[in-house]
């Protein structure tokens, strides 16, 4: 499936390829559904918060920074071009538009694109005003795009509200859990209702099974499933907690939540667990079903295939999904036992074992 807003950015990058002395940055995130497009660029820096895109960029010898869009080391007025297909989360969009304004040279260009329902027109209007440039928005179907030139110097007082994008802060104190988080990762300031339902099933999962020693949290986000599971008596014997995600902010914050909760574990960047070789007695997963703006069924398949590969012979995987995801059907060829533990009309928790 192609994303026309992203295609517009990629075409703009291709058109800018010939001016070799220019410093260009392309920020790309969850919207790159089909992975990294084929680009040859000597002086382009790809900045991505996705581990799989960063790996693809490295393999193609592109300059790449895998980070939570951390611009601390990028000087003011140093860039000639900034390319960006708007993200799903407003704080991240504002953060990146602010960084474009700060880091572009006077006369440098911001190329920005996105769908109507991403709020793109409003984003373009706001940043055009701050850059001191004419807004000339191109509309092609549902896609809004603009090439904006920086005239006005950056002013921190006027920048767009990015909800302190870089600030790591305590969240949900009422949960009784010690958790920190930040914008830029899935449901960053709340506990997912499906994940909470999964945790409530853990006691019954281990009623007739030996206690687990190794736990893998697949698509860990800020680490809720691990931190909450570590509080349960059934997990008292776990000596090795492994957490993995594709998202840079998730990896950073999950590691921080392990540290502040004194949980012995490691956090590994991976695409749906690919490349990990642990064998888990317990595997916890609330898989993503939205990637960027589109529903991606293949991703669920990838999570299930890796769960099956990473489970110890007597291990058990516990998944939670939205009620309409046919996880049982997708899991059936991969696992001997597929059992729905609870279905509350919104979410279902399913155990999988061999
Ligand atoms: C529904 S969230 C669950 C987060 C967390 N486990 C929780 O329960 O709050 C899904 C997670 O999968 C991650 N994710 C999305 N695509 C991924 C991929 N290809 N590989 C690994 N993780 C991915 C997202 O970054 C997100 O943290």
């Amino acid at each position: 499936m192609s994303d026309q807003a992203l295609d517009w950015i990629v075409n703009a990058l291709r058109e800018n390829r010939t001016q070799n002395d220019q410093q260009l940055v392309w920020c790309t995130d969850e919207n790159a559904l089909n992975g990294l497009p084929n680009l040859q660029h000597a002086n382009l820096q790809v900045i991505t918060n996705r581990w799989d895109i960063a790996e693809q960029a490295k393999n193609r010898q592109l300059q790449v920074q895998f980070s939570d869009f951390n611009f601390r080391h990028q000087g003011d007025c140093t860039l000639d071009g900034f390319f960006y297909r708007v993200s799903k989360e407003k704080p991240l969009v504002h953060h990146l538009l602010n960084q474009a304004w700060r880091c572009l040279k006077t006369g440098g260009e911001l190329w920005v694109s996105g769908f109507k329902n991403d709020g793109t027109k409003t984003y373009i209007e706001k940043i055009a005003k701050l850059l001191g440039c004419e807004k000339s928005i191109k509309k092609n179907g549902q896609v809004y795009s603009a090439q904006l030139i920086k005239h006005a110097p950056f002013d921190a007082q006027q920048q767009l509200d990015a909800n302190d994008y870089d600030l790591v802060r305590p969240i949900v104190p009422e949960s009784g859990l010690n958790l920190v988080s930040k914008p830029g990762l899935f449901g960053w300031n709340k506990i997912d209702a499906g994940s909470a339902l999964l945790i409530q099933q853990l006691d019954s999962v281990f009623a007739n099974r030996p206690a687990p020693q190794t736990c893998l949290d697949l698509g860990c986000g800020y680490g809720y499933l691990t931190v909450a599971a570590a509080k349960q008596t059934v997990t008292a014997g776990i000596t090795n907690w492994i957490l993995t995600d594709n998202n840079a902010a998730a990896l950073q914050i999950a590691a921080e939540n392990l540290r502040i909760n004194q949980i012995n574990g490691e956090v590994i960047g991976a695409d749906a667990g690919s490349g990990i070789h642990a064998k888990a007695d317990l595997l916890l997963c609330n898989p993503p079903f939205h990637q960027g703006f589109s529903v991606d069924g293949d991703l669920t398949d990838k999570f299930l295939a890796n769960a099956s590969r990473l489970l110890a012979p007597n291990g058990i995987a516990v998944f939670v999904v939205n009620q309409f995801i046919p996880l049982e059907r997708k899991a059936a060829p991969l696992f001997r036992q597929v059992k729905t533990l609870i279905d509350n009309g919104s979410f279902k928790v399913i155990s999988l074992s061999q």
Side-chain angles (χ1 to χ4, degrees), residues 14-236:
R14 291 198 172 117
E15 278 165 23
N16 276 266
R17 196 174 51 193
T18 45
Q19 294 132 319
N20 271 341
D21 52 338
Q22 294 201 326
Q23 289 309 310
L24 309 179
V25 154
W26 173 32
C27 291
T28 183
D29 65 358
E30 62 205 351
N31 293 308
L33 289 180
N34 301 324
L36 193 69
N38 202 3
L39 281 170
Q40 303 290 327
H41 242 295
N43 50 340
L44 171 69
Q45 189 178 30
V46 180
I47 304 183
T48 182
N49 64 347
R50 270 181 58 174
W51 189 88
D52 59 334
I53 296 282
E55 290 299 299
Q56 289 172 21
K58 271 189 231 160
N59 291 339
R60 298 212 202 132
Q61 268 80 48
L62 288 168
Q63 290 177 56
V64 61
Q65 186 200 108
F66 172 56
S67 79
D68 180 23
F69 299 112
N70 180 338
F71 276 79
R72 272 179 286 244
H73 303 295
Q74 185 72 48
D76 296 358
C77 305
T78 48
L79 296 176
D80 297 285
F82 194 109
F83 297 78
Y84 177 43
R85 188 262 191 250
V86 300
S87 313
K88 190 168 156 187
E89 246 196 283
K90 187 167 163 184
L92 175 55
V93 180
H94 280 185
H95 168 68
L96 287 177
L97 294 179
N98 288 335
Q99 296 312 313
W101 183 20
R102 180 179 71 76
C103 299
L104 281 170
K105 298 172 182 169
T106 304
E109 292 178 356
L110 168 64
W111 299 68
V112 61
S113 182
F115 279 86
K116 184 178 178 190
N117 62 3
D118 302 336
T120 308
K121 188 160 173 269
T122 310
Y123 288 136
I124 293 175
E125 284 169 354
K126 285 197 276 195
I127 194 64
K129 194 167 168 208
L130 294 173
L131 290 166
C133 93
E134 290 279 309
K135 61 166 196 302
S136 57
I137 304 181
K138 295 191 187 87
K139 185 170 182 292
N140 182 5
Q142 295 293 301
V143 176
Y144 288 96
S145 313
Q147 177 186 358
L148 305 169
I149 300 176
K150 171 171 164 180
H151 295 295
F154 178 68
D155 177 353
Q157 303 300 320
Q158 301 293 322
Q159 64 182 323
L160 302 170
D161 179 7
N163 194 359
D164 277 331
Y165 186 77
D166 289 326
L167 185 71
V168 179
R169 60 205 98 178
I171 55 158
V172 289
E174 67 282 6
S175 67
L177 299 173
N178 193 6
L179 292 166
V180 295
S181 186
K182 70 177 287 301
L185 46 72
F186 164 82
W188 73 273
N189 56 358
K190 60 182 175 64
I191 290 175
D192 182 76
S195 298
L197 189 69
L198 185 160
I199 291 296
Q200 287 162 19
Q201 312 313 310
L202 279 187
D203 269 345
S204 66
V205 167
F206 284 98
N208 299 309
R209 302 180 71 87
Q213 293 179 346
T214 300
C215 179
L216 177 67
D217 185 343
L218 192 57
C220 61
Y222 62 72
Y224 166 75
L225 288 175
T226 292
V227 173
K231 291 258 176 208
Q232 313 271 314
T233 22
V234 287
T235 65

Side-chain angles (χ1 to χ4, degrees), residues 156-336:
Q157 303 300 320
Q158 301 293 322
Q159 64 182 323
L160 302 170
D161 179 7
N163 194 359
D164 277 331
Y165 186 77
D166 289 326
L167 185 71
V168 179
R169 60 205 98 178
I171 55 158
V172 289
E174 67 282 6
S175 67
L177 299 173
N178 193 6
L179 292 166
V180 295
S181 186
K182 70 177 287 301
L185 46 72
F186 164 82
W188 73 273
N189 56 358
K190 60 182 175 64
I191 290 175
D192 182 76
S195 298
L197 189 69
L198 185 160
I199 291 296
Q200 287 162 19
Q201 312 313 310
L202 279 187
D203 269 345
S204 66
V205 167
F206 284 98
N208 299 309
R209 302 180 71 87
Q213 293 179 346
T214 300
C215 179
L216 177 67
D217 185 343
L218 192 57
C220 61
Y222 62 72
Y224 166 75
L225 288 175
T226 292
V227 173
K231 291 258 176 208
Q232 313 271 314
T233 22
V234 287
T235 65
I238 296 184
T239 47
N240 191 13
W241 296 88
I242 305 164
L243 295 81
T244 180
D245 206 283
N246 201 27
N247 173 283
L251 298 172
Q252 176 203 335
I253 300 301
E256 184 58 12
N257 279 318
L258 284 187
R259 192 187 65 77
I260 62 180
N261 286 284
Q262 299 177 337
I263 296 170
N264 182 26
E266 58 180 324
V267 181
I268 306 173
D271 179 14
S274 315
I276 295 182
H277 296 289
K279 286 289 178 198
D281 305 316
L282 171 61
L283 188 150
L284 303 174
C285 186
N286 177 350
F289 68 94
H290 278 100
Q291 187 170 22
F293 300 91
S294 85
V295 176
D296 186 346
D298 293 350
L299 203 54
T300 311
D301 295 336
K302 203 149 75 167
F303 270 75
L304 281 170
N306 277 313
S308 152
R309 183 180 62 80
L310 292 165
L311 209 54
N314 293 319
I316 188 154
V318 190
F319 272 63
V320 63
V321 285
N322 277 61
Q323 209 236 350
F324 60 83
I325 306 257
L327 194 89
E328 301 89 332
R329 179 171 59 71
K330 285 169 173 279
L334 295 165
F335 296 88
R336 195 169 295 171

Side-chain angles (χ1 to χ4, degrees), residues 3-20:
D3 173 320
Q4 290 159 298
L6 185 63
D7 292 347
W8 189 86
I9 292 289
V10 172
N11 284 335
L13 280 163
R14 291 198 172 117
E15 278 165 23
N16 276 266
R17 196 174 51 193
T18 45
Q19 294 132 319
N20 271 341

